[in-house]
Amino acid sequence: MEKELPPIEIPSDSLSEDALKGVIDNFVQREGTDYGAEEIHYETKIRQVQRQIEKGDVVIVFDPNSESVHLVTKHEFRKLQISANA
């Protein structure tokens, strides 16, 4: 059995503007539209995710095992790295 490869952080500034928008858009669409008691507009959610990436609270991650891209919190990324290296 092959050992799984650790996730790779992709710096947001290494992506084109269109690619970054696509990653954010895909994430927001997958998250759905149920945000609790108050509905959040799609454009607002896009801006919120963009700010979280800019602040470094959320990182773009490439998973070489599934060949997919995800947005995760910095804390979640650290946990993924630890479990992949265990």
Side-chain angles (χ1 to χ4, degrees):
M1 181 177 190
E2 290 185 36
K3 183 176 179 177
E4 288 205 6
L5 298 171
I8 302 165
E9 182 176 357
I10 307 297
S12 63
D13 60 0
S14 70
L15 298 176
S16 70
E17 186 176 328
D18 286 341
L20 181 58
K21 284 181 183 178
V23 169
I24 294 170
D25 181 65
N26 184 273
F27 173 79
V28 170
Q29 287 183 24
R30 281 190 318 226
E31 287 295 300
T33 57
D34 184 13
Y35 299 112
E38 290 187 35
E39 190 68 24
I40 298 175
H41 292 282
Y42 177 79
E43 295 80 15
T44 302
K45 188 65 177 171
I46 292 285
R47 285 191 303 274
Q48 288 174 341
V49 173
Q50 177 69 42
R51 280 194 302 272
Q52 290 173 326
I53 292 171
E54 289 169 357
K55 288 177 20 182
D57 296 336
V58 169
V59 295
I60 303 165
V61 175
F62 175 71
D63 179 352
N65 304 297
S66 64
E67 298 182 351
S68 58
V69 175
H70 306 278
L71 294 180
V72 298
T73 66
K74 193 69 161 177
H75 178 74
E76 288 172 322
F77 179 63
R78 287 187 189 119
K79 286 176 28 179
L80 288 171
Q81 288 180 307
I82 291 168
S83 66
N85 291 321

